[in-house]
Amino acid sequence: MESQIHKPDKIWIYLAIFVALMALLVATVAAASFDLGRANTPVALIIAVIKALLVILFFMHVRHSSRLTWVFVAAGFLWLSLLLCLTMTDYASR
Amino acid sequence: MSDLTAPIDHPPLVAHQFDDLQQQTEADTLGMWVFLGTEVLFFGGLICGYLVYRHLYFDAWRQGSEITNGFRFLGISSGAWNTAVLLTSSLTVAVAVRAAQMGSRAVLLWMLAITWVLGAAFLGIKAAEYTHEYHEGVMPGMTTFHPDEEVTAQLTKAAAADQRELGALIQRFRMYWVFYFFMTGVHAVHMLIGLGLFAFLFIQAARNRFTPQKHAPVELMGLYWHFVDLVWIFLFPLLYLVR
Amino acid sequence: MTSIPYIPAYEPPATYLNIRHTVASWLLTKDHKRIAILYMISITLFFAVGGFAAVFMRLQLLTPHSTLVEAETYNKLFTLHGVIMVFFFLVPSIPVTLGNFLVPLMIGARDLAFPRINLASWYLFMAGGTLTLSAIILGGLDTGWTFYTPYSSTFSNTHVVLAIMGIFLAGFSSIFTGLNFIITIHKMRCPGMTWFRLPLFIWSTYATSIIYVLATPVLAITLTLVGLERILGIGIFDPNLGGDPILFQHLFWFYSHPAVYIMILPGMGVISELIPAFSRKQVFGYNFVAFSSLAIAILGFVVWAHHMFVAGISLYSGLVFSMLSFLVAIPSAIKVFNWTATLYKGSISLETPMLYALGFIGLFTIGGLTGLFLATLGLDMHVHDTYFVIAHFHYIMVGGAVMAYMGGIHFWWPKMTGRLYNDMWGRVAAVITFLGFNLTFFPQFILGYLGMPRRYYAYAPEFQVYNVMSTAGASILAVGYCLPLIYLLWSLRWGAKAPNNPFRATGLEWQTSSPPPTDNFAKTPLVTQEPYSYHTMEPQGV
């Protein structure tokens, strides 16, 4: 019984994650107000990925979850990247 | 005949096909994750189209996102406000799930209510944006101008030599708005569904239906809410912050 | 008044079929076995509708300039045939009937993980089928099953939006079915049923479910875009408005190529059950067959643009997709080699299901090898959009998937209905189907190679001889499909009662009664043996 049903997280963990998410939001808005040249998009997306990881791991409890859940989560994003990358092989080389 | 009936010692709260509550909870949670994987690919088709046209028509994307990001409250773009609203609602959902795990009904009810209000606030801000964009004249099907006024001006002169070229510029600009409205629209539909689900959860919680042992609906709909938040985390830089 | 002593009537054991008889008990059932029967009836009806369209097409093509139907009607006929057969027969076929019935039985569970979602899937499927059929009744659809833009989104004057809504709903039915199978296979296996004791049918159903869940949503959103573009004229796929029609093809084939593996993988699973059972041998190379299913499911996602070599994709992209397409041949070949090795030195009995299985191996091999022709960038330029393509995919879908479906139905019919059908008629039908199929579609390879394009209602007179052969074959094939309908239905009323394990096969589904009780097993089974342990069974004595 104990394997899946974990103890509730400490409340300060949620608050810390929330503060981090807000800080990242400020960072992404701030970064967008400067012209970073070609780094603009990568910076915005890296911040988005970090935010997403925080939500998935902490708010969605994936860090406590079984390996199977990790696989399912990864599969969704892996397949999305297949769709995007292989489609772009066409458009990037036209 | 008795051997054909369901096992007599079947535990309460557990559907007949499961052996025990743990199996049921694990199956429910994994089922939700598979569904969210499906949702990733559902939005994925849109993101793929977005990426292709962003690649082809980057200038139009930049011009469009400047308009989107230019709608501000207190000097901060409405997109950033909305991101903040959704991130806060994710916090309240996480606390709601924790409250359900610990069996504190009052906290659960408060958190569900706050989440619902935040979700509604998100849609309100979104509606204000849409209204603004309607007045700007960029709704799909009615975009006839280009942010570069010279382009629009020249195009109205019937004699312009490169009519086709100028028309193409407007078409590209229009394509940004198609994706902007479609992506945010599909996301808003998910938000509406989320509001319905959370209203349902609130009623169930008020009727004391959840216990620390059995509160799968709170966990599952919490996952759904976080997912909708995740989508927005990506939509914000993709649509508002194109540089 | 003389009192008559009360004699208790003979009470047959309670099965999932006789436990209740009302219509509501069927339409509101949450029993996976009853839902399988509902699906079986539904997809048989859809198969009949699609089949009728094919009959008219073959009649039209009997002569080079037939006037049986107009050109526009012909377009609607091949669209009807394609849409119904792909989305409402082949994609659901084996998973929703045999899969629904067998997945819980094979893994020793009482039901699928989410019985209510399972029933909802059937209703979604029926709602989708009704919408799409209504589009056809209201005047038809002429885009082809592929809905290529900008024709479908801008120019076609037929009921595209209605048909798209139907396919959208059927797609979500697929998604929920796949979700149900994945969770059931992960979480509901009975004690002792480890991953490597699972029947291979379960492995292939699992692989199919992965595709259901990860590919179908892309089709749903793509068709939504087409519908919106049609209604609002926003130009996502319209080159006149700055859109790119090839983007539609990318998104469409991201679903529709994996969908080919949705159709064939469950068939491969059925064959992997039939071959060992009728060779009385353990399956050769269990691990390879199991993992090749997953490999096909995954590789199937990275080859889609081989449908688009002449559509205007870049040469570089064409090369990448051509090379990736060859990779899928590897796991497919592994399966064929392993089945052949299982047959080797087996004590083979040629009962009806086995005849279908052997037919499958031959036809699938032809279909698969001609697929390699089409994956070759240079050769595809020559045969693209000709009858060569038609012949190729009918060898896979009809020669492969439908043969496997028929084989599976004949194998598990006694389990599903508790009745035995007439094996002699079964064998006759299997042979007729095999002969009729080859006569229908082999000439189409030649036609295509000679250059007859697909989707035309008329053709050059020199192609007539092959078209006559093809139409003649189609009429034989029709007999092959109608016969089972007759003797299987006959068996329901007059067939002998089936024993629990008429084919002396391994697998948990054969250990319960025929037909099974609602909860499948009297008590939760315990698995202690390797799968397909036919070698440890006693030789048939009686």
Side-chain angles (χ1 to χ4, degrees):
Chain A
M1 284 297 274
E2 296 78 27
S3 64
Q4 182 80 7
I5 300 164
H6 54 88
K7 271 191 233 134
D9 284 317
K10 299 270 188 301
I11 193 92
W12 64 263
I13 294 181
Y14 291 151
L15 290 171
I17 294 300
F18 175 68
V19 171
L21 286 169
M22 285 305 196
L24 285 165
L25 171 61
V26 172
T28 195
V29 171
S33 61
F34 299 108
D35 187 10
L36 304 175
R38 300 181 64 178
N40 276 319
T41 309
V43 167
L45 283 181
I46 287 168
I47 293 177
V49 167
I50 297 172
K51 277 199 272 188
L53 281 175
L54 290 178
V55 171
I56 291 174
L57 290 176
F58 290 90
F59 284 173
M60 298 171 95
H61 303 139
V62 168
R63 71 194 179 108
H64 299 300
S65 300
S66 61
R67 250 188 303 172
L68 189 58
T69 312
W70 286 75
V71 171
F72 283 7
V73 176
F77 290 101
L78 183 70
W79 256 257
L80 176 62
S81 70
L82 286 181
L83 171 64
L84 301 182
C85 294
L86 282 169
T87 304
M88 289 319 281
T89 63
D90 177 14
Y91 288 92
S93 64
R94 277 212 190 145
Chain B
M1 288 302 287
S2 61
D3 59 345
L4 287 171
T5 51
I8 300 156
D9 57 345
H10 202 67
L13 303 174
V14 178
H16 85 101
Q17 70 271 26
F18 294 111
D19 294 330
D20 53 42
L21 194 60
Q22 188 199 357
Q23 190 190 28
Q24 176 169 322
T25 313
E26 287 181 12
D28 287 349
T29 315
L30 273 177
M32 193 65 195
W33 276 109
V34 173
F35 177 72
L36 296 182
T38 296
E39 287 272 40
V40 169
L41 270 295
F42 189 75
F43 280 98
L46 283 177
I47 292 172
C48 184
Y50 166 92
L51 194 62
V52 165
Y53 288 120
R54 178 181 164 131
H55 171 76
L56 294 174
Y57 306 151
F58 184 76
D59 283 338
W61 247 243
R62 197 173 38 72
Q63 290 159 338
S65 102
E66 264 166 30
I67 295 179
T68 317
N69 204 36
F71 184 52
R72 285 160 193 270
F73 303 113
L74 307 175
I76 295 169
S77 99
S78 58
W81 279 113
N82 253 350
T83 314
V85 168
L86 271 197
L87 290 176
T88 313
S89 77
S90 256
L91 171 71
T92 56
V93 168
V95 176
V97 171
R98 181 174 178 274
Q101 285 167 345
M102 300 182 16
S104 38
R105 179 160 156 264
V107 180
L108 174 62
L109 282 171
W110 270 108
M111 287 302 141
L112 290 174
I114 296 173
T115 307
W116 198 93
V117 170
L118 287 169
F122 175 91
L123 286 175
I125 296 175
K126 201 75 223 146
E129 278 183 41
Y130 283 162
T131 316
H132 169 71
E133 281 138 8
Y134 175 80
H135 290 302
E136 290 276 310
V138 294
M139 302 295 274
M142 52 180 280
T143 323
T144 51
F145 79 104
H146 192 269
D148 186 344
E149 278 162 23
E150 206 172 318
V151 173
T152 315
Q154 280 197 29
L155 194 70
T156 46
K157 282 187 231 158
D162 45 358
Q163 188 92 19
R164 283 181 65 89
E165 186 62 27
L166 295 170
L169 283 176
I170 291 189
Q171 283 175 355
R172 293 168 179 190
F173 181 61
R174 213 185 267 167
M175 193 63 82
Y176 167 82
W177 293 104
V178 168
F179 276 91
Y180 167 80
F181 280 105
F182 203 43
M183 291 168 97
T184 54
V186 173
H187 179 262
V189 169
H190 280 78
M191 287 293 299
L192 277 175
I193 295 171
L195 287 185
L197 294 174
F198 271 69
F200 167 80
L201 281 185
F202 185 85
I203 294 169
Q204 294 290 87
R207 288 182 183 163
N208 228 345
R209 292 288 159 81
F210 302 124
T211 65
Q213 285 74 39
K214 194 167 192 298
H215 54 268
V218 184
E219 299 245 10
L220 300 188
M221 298 182 188
L223 286 179
Y224 174 85
W225 191 278
H226 290 308
F227 173 80
V228 178
D229 183 18
L230 276 183
V231 172
W232 185 260
I233 287 176
F234 284 98
L235 290 189
F236 175 56
L238 288 181
L239 293 170
Y240 291 76
L241 305 178
V242 182
R243 289 288 175 281
Chain C
M1 292 280 272
T2 53
S3 64
I4 302 163
Y6 173 70
I7 304 163
Y10 165 70
E11 205 180 321
T15 71
Y16 82 101
L17 288 172
N18 70 9
I19 193 157
R20 275 196 192 81
H21 294 284
T22 59
V23 175
S25 76
W26 279 91
L27 293 182
L28 300 177
T29 183
K30 279 174 254 154
D31 183 347
H32 66 102
K33 299 180 287 302
R34 284 192 164 205
I35 295 171
I37 302 289
L38 291 176
Y39 267 122
M40 194 194 279
I41 297 167
S42 326
I43 68 167
T44 306
L45 292 176
F46 283 119
F47 183 77
V49 172
F52 275 120
V55 167
F56 282 108
M57 283 153 68
R58 277 324 316 167
L59 285 176
Q60 166 75 12
L61 294 177
L62 193 56
T63 56
H65 296 288
S66 165
T67 50
L68 180 67
V69 295
E70 307 268 319
E72 287 80 11
T73 317
Y74 186 81
N75 293 348
K76 288 175 183 172
L77 280 174
F78 72 67
T79 305
L80 168 65
H81 177 69
V83 167
I84 296 293
M85 286 301 200
V86 170
F87 294 112
F88 296 97
F89 178 73
L90 285 163
V91 164
S93 62
I94 294 177
V96 298
T97 54
L98 296 172
N100 243 326
F101 195 91
L102 292 169
V103 165
L105 280 167
M106 282 182 162
I107 65 173
R110 284 185 289 278
D111 204 325
L112 288 173
F114 310 114
R116 248 181 289 180
I117 291 180
N118 195 19
L119 180 65
S121 300
W122 182 72
Y123 276 100
L124 274 177
F125 177 71
M126 291 312 282
T130 312
L131 277 178
T132 303
L133 275 183
S134 67
I136 281 148
I137 292 165
L138 288 173
L141 178 72
D142 66 350
T143 59
W145 77 277
T146 47
F147 292 100
Y148 270 14
T149 54
Y151 184 70
S152 65
S153 55
T154 310
F155 300 107
S156 171
N157 288 318
T158 52
H159 295 83
V160 177
V161 174
L162 210 52
I164 280 176
M165 282 161 60
I167 294 167
F168 185 94
L169 291 183
F172 272 88
S173 161
S174 295
I175 290 173
F176 288 125
T177 303
L179 188 154
N180 228 331
F181 286 161
I182 289 178
I183 303 303
T184 307
I185 295 169
H186 270 291
K187 286 290 157 199
M188 317 227 3
R189 286 169 283 128
C190 67
M193 182 57 90
T194 59
W195 279 92
F196 292 99
R197 285 178 180 168
L198 285 173
L200 289 165
F201 180 76
I202 299 293
W203 277 93
S204 65
T205 305
Y206 185 84
T208 310
S209 304
I210 294 176
I211 310 178
Y212 270 154
V213 165
L214 291 174
T216 320
V218 178
L219 175 78
I221 195 73
T222 310
L223 292 182
T224 311
L225 284 171
V226 171
L228 273 184
E229 167 145 7
R230 225 183 132 74
I231 297 167
L232 302 173
I234 47 185
I236 300 177
F237 302 123
D238 184 353
N240 283 328
L241 295 173
D244 180 16
I246 297 177
L247 174 64
F248 170 82
Q249 296 188 23
H250 275 298
L251 294 171
F252 178 80
W253 288 113
F254 181 83
Y255 164 78
S256 292
H257 191 76
V260 173
Y261 301 108
I262 290 178
M263 303 172 201
I264 197 68
L265 271 170
M268 292 169 157
V270 169
I271 302 306
S272 305
E273 298 296 314
L274 301 186
I275 297 283
F278 293 96
S279 311
R280 315 304 305 163
K281 259 184 78 185
Q282 195 166 27
V283 73
F284 185 86
Y286 174 94
N287 290 357
F288 279 90
V289 181
F291 279 113
S292 63
S293 292
L294 293 183
I296 290 173
I298 292 166
L299 289 175
F301 273 95
V302 297
V303 303
W304 76 80
H306 65 215
H307 295 268
M308 303 160 57
F309 285 157
V310 300
I313 60 169
S314 74
L315 184 60
Y316 169 76
S317 187
L319 284 171
V320 169
F321 278 102
S322 181
M323 283 192 294
L324 288 170
S325 302
F326 283 103
L327 289 181
V328 191
I330 298 169
S332 312
I334 286 175
K335 281 190 191 286
V336 173
F337 293 145
N338 281 291
W339 293 325
T340 318
T342 308
L343 290 170
Y344 180 65
K345 288 190 173 172
S347 54
I348 295 169
S349 59
L350 294 176
E351 286 163 71
T352 310
M354 185 58 160
L355 287 181
Y356 279 110
L358 294 175
F360 172 97
I361 295 181
L363 300 179
F364 171 73
T365 305
I366 296 178
L369 290 176
T370 50
L372 290 180
F373 292 31
L374 293 167
T376 312
L377 194 49
L379 193 51
D380 186 62
M381 299 288 166
H382 177 55
V383 291
H384 173 82
D385 260 355
T386 68
Y387 267 79
F388 193 90
V389 179
I390 306 287
H392 153 69
F393 74 71
H394 279 86
Y395 265 80
I396 299 284
M397 293 177 190
V398 185
V402 180
M403 288 293 261
Y405 176 67
M406 296 300 287
I409 292 289
H410 282 85
F411 188 53
W412 284 289
W413 185 262
K415 179 57 62 186
M416 298 173 93
T417 64
R419 299 289 177 154
L420 293 174
Y421 54 88
N422 183 317
D423 194 54
M424 191 275 289
W425 278 110
R427 285 187 240 191
V428 169
V431 172
I432 289 178
T433 307
F434 182 80
L435 295 178
F437 174 83
N438 279 300
L439 187 56
T440 312
F441 291 105
F442 201 84
Q444 296 187 1
F445 277 126
I446 304 168
L447 276 174
Y449 199 78
L450 295 176
M452 179 169 159
R454 66 192 282 199
R455 291 182 169 172
Y456 280 84
Y457 76 116
Y459 53 86
E462 64 261 33
F463 295 137
Q464 189 174 7
V465 60
Y466 299 111
N467 273 297
V468 171
M469 286 163 80
S470 185
T471 302
S475 53
I476 299 175
L477 190 57
V479 173
Y481 288 142
C482 290
L483 271 180
L485 203 60
I486 298 168
Y487 63 76
L488 286 179
L489 289 177
W490 188 89
S491 79
L492 288 181
R493 186 81 178 79
W494 294 283
K497 286 246 186 312
N500 288 351
N501 190 356
F503 300 111
R504 299 177 64 249
T506 62
L508 289 178
E509 77 270 28
W510 301 107
Q511 290 177 16
T512 185
S513 54
S514 293
T518 299
D519 272 335
N520 290 348
F521 298 97
K523 61 177 196 218
T524 307
L526 174 71
V527 181
T528 53
Q529 267 191 319
E530 298 309 302
Y532 309 106
S533 36
Y534 289 102
H535 53 295
T536 61
M537 277 178 139
E538 290 161 30
Q540 192 149 23
V542 192

